[in-house]
Amino acid sequence: MRPFAGGNGVFTFILRRLLYSIPVLIAASFIIFTFVSISGDPLTGLRLNPHVRPATIHHIEERKHLDKPLIVQYGYWVKDAVFHGFGTTVLGDEPIGPDLTRVFGNTLQLIVAAELISILLAIGIGVYSAVRQYSPFDYTATTFSFIGFSTPIFWLALIAQMLVIRLNTATNTHFLFVSQLNSSTYTNFWVDRLEHLILPVCILAIAEIAAFSRYMRASMLEVINSDYVRTARAKGLSERKVIFKHAFRNALIPLVTVVALNFGALFGGAIVTETIFSLDGMGLYFIHALGDRDVYPIMAWLMVTAVIVIVFNLVADVLYGLLDPRIRYE
């Protein structure tokens, strides 16, 4: 057994996990392709259209290999995914890669901003609630957490939009925007992008703060009541040093798991937020692909989400070793 802190141990562990991820990705890709493919015929709309000639449909089937067995179609799809940016759409023959890259970057901005805000606030709220257990602050934080848990994001987003529209109308300003990622005309691109992202970021962060703060509070309560923390207090260390040097680091471990897994899941959860705010991101891209009944953009979206989940599982495992030196890997 070698300590995780060793450089060779870290490299070996990461390399091993990356190698383990390869068969997982292959299995995920096959499951995604198979289930999306058998969910329906992407050319149904064309087949029912009397103005579309059978020769046109046959040409599309040949171009996208839809007339081949499923396993052969899978091979062509993997080739396109690896070497041609997931290939092209079924109907319009439009490249998927450039659109996917654009919407991925937009969603990344939204999610990273929401996650950073929610993590920082949740850690502060969770730690203080645990240290001041059953205090007015703890009861207040618990109440707002339950409200955040129980409030549907779509309802919260719609109410926020309505309030901002009324505020903008009353003050004759447009500091906050309720849709899109940028205005048609702007002086500074990033300032304009920030003004458009404030509202959706806050909506996403509210739900995350409610969840993360409860995990942090529960984890912190478990740690500060453990034997080694009581021993640190018995040695005469200050309460501040006991909390932040001995308890806080270990209390972060469960939160790391939740945050890492949640990051990948947010690409699915952001569908609601991006649709309501008309944000050109992964969520709206997925909705449009569903509306067009185009299977290849849907497969690409699912595959990117699967990769993100696997990557952040690896990130969580690495952070375990950094936060807790007792964790060791062979």
Side-chain angles (χ1 to χ4, degrees):
M1 301 286 286
R2 289 181 295 181
F4 182 83
N8 291 334
V10 175
F11 176 78
T12 302
F13 170 72
I14 294 176
L15 180 61
R16 187 168 66 244
R17 286 301 303 271
L18 286 174
L19 291 176
Y20 289 162
S21 299
I22 293 175
V24 175
L25 278 175
I26 293 174
S29 67
F30 183 76
I31 291 171
I32 288 169
F33 180 86
T34 301
F35 279 91
V36 174
S37 296
I38 66 177
S39 63
D41 183 4
L43 301 181
T44 299
L46 292 181
R47 298 185 197 279
L48 296 176
N49 190 337
H51 301 290
V52 177
R53 295 180 301 172
T56 302
I57 296 176
H58 181 66
H59 173 71
I60 295 175
E61 288 178 332
E62 284 188 332
R63 175 170 54 82
K64 302 303 294 184
H65 314 290
L66 298 176
D67 53 345
K68 302 289 194 302
L70 192 65
I71 189 65
V72 177
Q73 294 181 41
Y74 171 71
Y76 280 112
W77 178 73
V78 170
K79 179 182 176 182
D80 282 341
V82 174
F83 298 106
H84 305 112
F86 291 101
T88 60
T89 59
V90 174
L91 302 180
D93 201 24
E94 298 291 334
I96 295 174
D99 286 340
L100 200 60
T101 301
R102 184 191 73 251
V103 298
F104 180 85
N106 293 338
T107 293
L108 200 61
Q109 294 172 19
L110 172 68
I111 291 177
V112 168
E115 287 286 273
L116 286 177
I117 292 172
S118 58
I119 290 170
L120 292 175
L121 290 177
I123 287 176
I125 293 171
V127 170
Y128 195 79
S129 293
V131 174
R132 298 288 187 268
Q133 188 180 17
Y134 303 132
S135 66
F137 179 87
D138 185 27
Y139 284 121
T140 303
T142 300
T143 300
F144 279 102
S145 293
F146 288 148
I147 293 174
F149 271 127
S150 58
T151 304
I153 289 182
F154 76 89
W155 181 85
L156 188 62
L158 292 173
I159 293 298
Q161 281 183 326
M162 182 184 68
L163 292 176
V164 168
I165 290 173
R166 290 187 176 182
L167 179 64
N168 288 342
T169 303
T171 59
N172 196 26
T173 60
H174 290 283
F175 176 71
L176 291 178
F177 293 85
V178 296
S179 64
Q180 305 299 327
L181 283 168
N182 281 104
S183 306
S184 55
T185 57
Y186 52 81
T187 307
N188 184 295
F189 175 84
W190 289 111
V191 171
D192 185 67
R193 173 64 58 88
L194 177 63
E195 292 174 351
H196 281 75
L197 283 178
I198 287 175
L199 197 58
V201 164
C202 289
I203 296 300
L204 269 183
I206 287 173
E208 301 304 304
I209 292 170
F212 294 165
S213 63
R214 300 311 296 168
Y215 278 105
M216 191 66 202
R217 179 185 182 275
S219 178
M220 196 69 183
L221 282 173
E222 181 179 353
V223 171
I224 62 178
N225 291 317
S226 59
D227 292 338
Y228 72 90
V229 172
R230 285 197 293 267
T231 302
R233 288 196 180 100
K235 289 180 179 180
L237 296 177
S238 66
E239 187 66 15
R240 182 183 180 88
K241 199 167 187 178
V242 169
I243 295 298
F244 289 100
K245 185 175 181 179
H246 294 273
F248 177 68
R249 188 171 181 175
N250 288 329
L252 279 177
I253 295 177
L255 185 65
V256 166
T257 306
V258 176
V259 171
L261 295 177
N262 185 70
F263 195 89
L266 259 185
F267 277 90
I271 291 176
V272 175
T273 305
E274 290 183 352
T275 302
I276 291 176
F277 289 99
S278 300
L279 304 180
D280 184 28
M282 292 281 286
L284 197 61
Y285 179 81
F286 179 73
I287 293 298
H288 287 161
L290 279 179
D292 295 338
R293 298 179 61 85
D294 204 323
V295 294
Y296 290 111
I298 294 174
M299 292 176 187
W301 183 90
L302 290 170
M303 199 63 213
V304 169
T305 304
V307 170
I308 291 170
V309 171
I310 291 173
V311 168
F312 274 88
N313 269 284
L314 174 62
V315 170
D317 287 340
V318 173
L319 289 177
Y320 287 162
L322 297 176
L323 290 171
D324 190 350
R326 297 173 299 176
I327 297 177
R328 297 170 182 269
Y329 300 92
E330 294 181 354

